[in-house]
Each structure stands twice: as C-alpha cells, then as structure tokens.
Amino acid sequence: MPAAARLMVPVLAPTGGAGRSTLACLLAAELAAVGETVVLDTAPRLASPWPGWVTAPGGGLAVLPPTEPASAERVRSACAPMGGWDVLTDCREWNAPPLDLPVEPAAWYQLAAIGGWQAAVVDTPHPITHDLLAARCAGTEGRTRGWLALPYAVPVLCAAASADGVQALQQAVMAMSAENVPLHRAVAVFVATGEGRLPSVVRAAATMLSGRMAEVVHLPYDAHLRASGLRTGRVHSRTRQAAARIASAVLAAAHDSWGQPLPPAPQPAVLRPTCPVPV
C-alpha cells in the first residue's frame, strides 16, 4: 500500500466468543505483507486476551494519556511488537486500575494516523446488533456506525459456525441493512467450533449472504489455537490459507470502493491537551 494510505479493518461480531481477537491477529499477520500494520485493542484489559498474548510489551495505552499531545515516536513506543506488526493494548498487570479508554472510533483512528500505520485492524468488544438498536433509540451514531464512517473502513463480521451463530449474524446483517450500513464492502467470516463439515444451516446462510456482502469465508477449526491460543504462534496451514483469503477479500473490497492504489487518507487534527477553564 502507498505510504499515505490507511486501511481501517474493524473486526465486529453480534455476540461474544465469536473469535474476534483471533481473527484480528490472523488478519494483521496477513496485511503486514502489504503495509505497516497495527492491531488496536479497544477492549478493557480484563476482557481482552491481548495482554497475555504479547511477549515483549511496550509502554502500552497507559503512556498515552488523553490530556497530553501525542507524537509518532510516543505512539510507536507504546506498542508491543508481534513479529512484523504491532499491537496497541493495555499491558499493565491485571490488578492495575482500569484505563479510561476512548469510546469514539475517531480517537482510535487518530492514534493510527499519528503512528503512521497503513493498515489498522480493530479488535472491538461491543455486540453490533445491540449497539445499532440502542443508538437508534437514543438518536446517536453508536460505535458500529462510527467505525464504518471512518475513511477507508472495510468491516469484517465474524460469528460462530453454528445455528446460534448464524442466527446472530443474520440479525446483525438485518440491523445493518435497516441502518443503511454499506454491506457491499463487508466481509463475513464463519469461525468453526469443531472438526468436520460445516452444518447445513451455516452453508445455507453463507449462500444467502454471498449476494449481499463482498465475500463470505469459512475459518476452519484449529486445534493449535484451541489448545494454547496465540501464545505459541502455532497455526495450521489451512488456517493461514483462510486468513490469506480473508485479507485478500478485505483488500479487494477496499480497491473496489476507493480504487487501486488506495488514495491518501485524511489526516485528523493533532491531539491537544485539555486545559481547565479559568475561574
């Protein structure tokens, strides 16, 4: 990707336990081949696996207070290297006080822009269907729409490859369609929960969704990941093949929407410290 390009890839799911973090890691490893890549871990520390996955943590999000200006060097030093790509997470001990993480997607986009990465994979914690419905009732934008409104955002929707996962993903797609979310550049991923052939309900859902979304991909079951997560880096070859297909689908959706090569991304305003108002 060109140096001034920026591809935003929010990994979203309608429920927890859908494999968002694993998928974000696999995607980052693939996208690192075409540009400098970072994973933005937007989940609270005790709900995130990333602090346990990093082996050489950087300063972490704690060194980026929202009341102080940031620089590329400072943002980069906060990251943990993952062998060809970076992750920005809360690396402190589990019993440290919680950080006041930004909720607005634009704030995370700003960090990616300051750091100068060409691709940012976002590990999101919120359930997208509930977020869309709650935002509509409250008359607000919501986090899901906020992520998709960012420049050059290609969403990846993941769900378990089961009857319950299919139902949850279909409800999410209906909610996104009702909110006029651009499904044509979204990539859907069904994450297998066991060995064997995909259930018929999953295959049928994949066929129905393929006409509405950029691509529908199956991420096969991987015993290595189930046994030790991503701590050891052991991943089956078929898992890497599926990850490469997902990354290719994301890049194809971006190029179909905005051209190839991707045009330069808008640069957000520089972060400024918040000064108290004199009394």
Side-chain angles (χ1 to χ4, degrees), residues 158-195:
C158 61
S162 63
D164 290 341
V166 164
Q167 183 180 20
L169 186 61
Q170 288 175 330
Q171 289 175 341
V173 169
M174 287 190 292
M176 294 174 75
S177 179
E179 295 298 318
N180 295 318
V181 170
L183 286 170
H184 66 278
R185 66 170 185 262
V187 177
V189 179
F190 284 110
V191 181
T193 57
E195 297 282 4

Side-chain angles (χ1 to χ4, degrees), residues 30-271:
E30 295 296 328
L31 291 174
V34 295
E36 289 193 299
T37 302
V38 65
V39 168
L40 303 176
D41 178 21
T42 65
R45 181 179 62 258
L46 294 180
S48 170
W50 288 101
W53 287 350
V54 298
T55 56
L61 289 166
V63 303
L64 299 173
T67 57
E68 297 180 13
S71 64
E73 294 76 17
R74 191 169 188 178
V75 173
R76 290 273 183 160
S77 67
C79 292
M82 296 292 285
W85 50 279
D86 300 313
V87 59
L88 189 57
T89 186
D90 183 356
C91 297
R92 298 178 305 160
E93 293 294 330
W94 67 270
N95 57 349
L99 290 177
D100 185 17
L101 297 178
V103 175
E104 298 80 6
W108 293 96
Y109 176 86
Q110 195 172 49
L111 282 177
I114 294 171
W117 291 280
Q118 294 151 296
V121 181
V122 187
D123 188 0
T124 66
H126 67 278
I128 54 178
T129 310
H130 178 270
D131 174 70
L132 287 168
L133 295 177
R136 165 174 277 200
C137 293
T140 59
E141 181 183 57
R143 281 186 281 183
T144 302
R145 292 186 66 89
W147 284 117
L148 302 187
L150 294 176
Y152 312 123
V154 176
V156 174
L157 278 61
C158 61
S162 63
D164 290 341
V166 164
Q167 183 180 20
L169 186 61
Q170 288 175 330
Q171 289 175 341
V173 169
M174 287 190 292
M176 294 174 75
S177 179
E179 295 298 318
N180 295 318
V181 170
L183 286 170
H184 66 278
R185 66 170 185 262
V187 177
V189 179
F190 284 110
V191 181
T193 57
E195 297 282 4
R197 192 179 182 188
L198 285 177
S200 58
V201 65
V202 177
R203 299 197 303 271
T207 301
M208 288 187 291
L209 290 173
S210 61
R212 307 184 64 183
M213 310 183 78
E215 192 160 348
V216 181
V217 184
H218 166 227
L219 185 65
Y221 178 80
D222 193 330
H224 295 318
L225 294 180
R226 286 288 176 178
S228 57
L230 292 165
R231 292 183 182 89
T232 63
R234 296 179 61 192
V235 178
H236 199 283
S237 59
R238 63 185 180 185
T239 303
R240 294 200 180 279
Q241 291 170 2
R245 182 182 171 190
I246 297 167
S248 296
V250 167
L251 290 170
H255 293 149
D256 289 345
S257 298
W258 300 292
Q260 186 176 6
L262 289 178
Q267 292 294 322
V270 177
L271 286 174

